[in-house]
Amino acid sequence: MTREYTEITVIGGDKTGIVAKVTNLLFERGINVEDIDQAVRDGVFRMTLHADTAEMVCTKATLRDALAELGDEMGVDVQVRFPADRETKRIAVLVT
């Protein structure tokens, strides 16, 4: 089985249920949470989550939209980076 590790970050004002709502949304789409790190400092919630999206039952665009909508409802910023988003591009700068 091939795994695709997608990084999801959530930042915003702290409130009850942020972790539960995000992880429930992922569960409903067949996405497995592999690693999660969250903390609150000075009332600001921060979470970085790594999830296996290889077997998700939605498209990447649908997942991005659903997480953005959830973030809007909770008043937090949610960003999603799929493996392809992190692939480095090779460039060459030639100067004479």
Side-chain angles (χ1 to χ4, degrees):
M1 167 174 26
T2 304
R3 294 183 181 202
E4 289 185 25
Y5 292 110
T6 298
E7 180 180 85
I8 300 167
T9 58
V10 180
I11 300 173
D14 184 35
K15 56 185 68 91
T16 303
I18 296 174
V19 174
K21 289 178 181 178
V22 171
T23 55
N24 189 57
L25 184 145
L26 298 175
F27 169 75
E28 290 172 348
R29 287 156 180 78
I31 299 169
N32 187 43
V33 174
E34 296 284 336
D35 183 53
I36 187 169
D37 177 46
Q38 58 92 30
V40 177
R41 179 170 288 176
D42 297 326
V44 177
F45 176 83
R46 176 210 42 87
M47 177 172 72
T48 302
L49 183 148
H50 294 96
D52 181 6
T53 53
E55 297 184 24
M56 68 180 175
V57 295
C58 64
T59 66
K60 291 177 181 181
T62 303
L63 179 61
R64 278 188 209 273
D65 292 345
L67 285 167
E69 184 177 314
L70 180 62
D72 289 344
E73 290 172 11
M74 296 186 298
V76 297
D77 179 53
V78 180
Q79 298 294 318
V80 182
R81 287 189 342 154
F82 289 97
D85 298 341
R86 291 188 302 272
E87 291 179 5
T88 57
K89 307 292 186 222
R90 293 180 182 226
I91 64 168
V93 178
L94 306 174
V95 180
T96 61

